[in-house]
Amino acid sequence: MPSGQIRKRVLFSSTLFLFPFQALFVSFLLVNAITEAKANCTIDRNDAEVKVSFVVDGDTFRTDSGESVRIIGINTPEMRYDGRPHEPLAQAARQRLVALLESQNNQVQLRYDTEPRDRYKRKLAHVFLKNGTNIAGLLLEDGLAFQLQIPPNNWNQD
C-alpha cells in the first residue's frame, strides 16, 4: 500500500477515535454557555405588566389593551401571510409561546430598551413571564428562534 494511503487511513482512524471526545467537549461548551446565558437573562427592572390576549407568532403578541408587542432579541419563523405558507417551525414557535403564556395566566413583564417601537409601530420589549423567566431565552433553547440584535436595543445581548 502506498504511504499516502496509509497516512489517510491512520488520519481517518484517529478522527473516528477522537470524534466522540470532540463531540463531548463541544456539548460541554454548549451546556455551559446555555447555563451561563440563563443566569444572565434575568430581568433587572419591570417597566410594565400586561396581559396577553392574542399571540400573532412566536415573537409578537397583542395585549388586552390592543397594543402589539414585538419581543426584542429574537426572530421566529413567520406565520402565513400575503398568500405565502407558514415558514417551517412557525406554528411550533407560536404554540410554544402560547403554552408559556398560558402557564402564567397570560401575564408578562416588559422591560423596555432604547428604541420604543419598530417600523410597524409595534412596542418593542424584552419579555419575561411573571416568574421572571426570559421568554426569548426559552424560545432560543428550544430551537424555535434565533438571536437577532438590532441596535440600539442591545440590553442583555450576551
Side-chain angles (χ1 to χ4, degrees):
M1 184 179 296
S3 65
Q5 286 182 334
I6 293 172
R7 269 189 253 132
K8 286 180 185 175
R9 285 184 185 223
V10 168
L11 182 60
F12 180 73
S13 299
S14 64
T15 302
L16 287 177
F17 174 73
L18 289 175
F19 180 73
F21 297 107
Q22 291 169 337
L24 183 63
F25 180 69
V26 169
S27 298
F28 170 77
L29 290 177
L30 288 174
V31 168
N32 197 21
I34 289 171
T35 304
E36 186 176 321
K38 278 184 178 178
N40 294 332
C41 284
T42 57
I43 192 167
D44 64 341
R45 72 171 194 255
N46 180 3
D47 294 324
E49 289 188 23
V50 298
K51 185 162 186 157
V52 176
S53 63
F54 179 75
V55 175
V56 177
D57 60 21
D59 57 34
T60 306
F61 59 84
R62 288 194 194 100
T63 66
D64 60 354
S65 67
E67 186 150 46
S68 188
V69 177
R70 173 69 162 75
I71 301 172
I72 295 174
I74 61 168
N75 193 32
T76 61
E78 300 300 325
M79 297 292 288
R80 174 186 4 230
Y81 69 97
D82 290 339
R84 297 181 189 138
H86 298 305
E87 291 181 0
L89 297 177
Q91 290 177 303
R94 182 183 182 279
Q95 289 170 350
R96 176 67 170 132
L97 182 55
V98 166
L100 288 168
L101 295 169
E102 286 177 349
S103 75
Q104 301 288 304
N105 197 29
N106 292 324
Q107 298 285 328
V108 293
Q109 299 174 353
L110 305 180
R111 197 263 189 215
Y112 302 129
D113 210 322
T114 306
E115 194 170 67
R117 296 195 181 271
D118 66 7
R119 66 181 177 196
Y120 304 107
K121 307 296 184 221
R122 296 177 295 190
K123 184 171 277 194
L124 298 172
H126 301 275
V127 183
F128 296 82
L129 297 175
K130 281 177 56 176
N131 66 9
T133 304
N134 185 315
I135 290 178
L138 292 174
L139 291 169
L140 286 167
E141 285 176 16
D142 292 344
L144 297 171
F146 62 89
Q147 187 176 7
L148 176 68
Q149 290 303 135
I150 301 175
N153 292 335
N154 294 327
W155 177 81
N156 213 11
Q157 72 181 357
D158 292 338

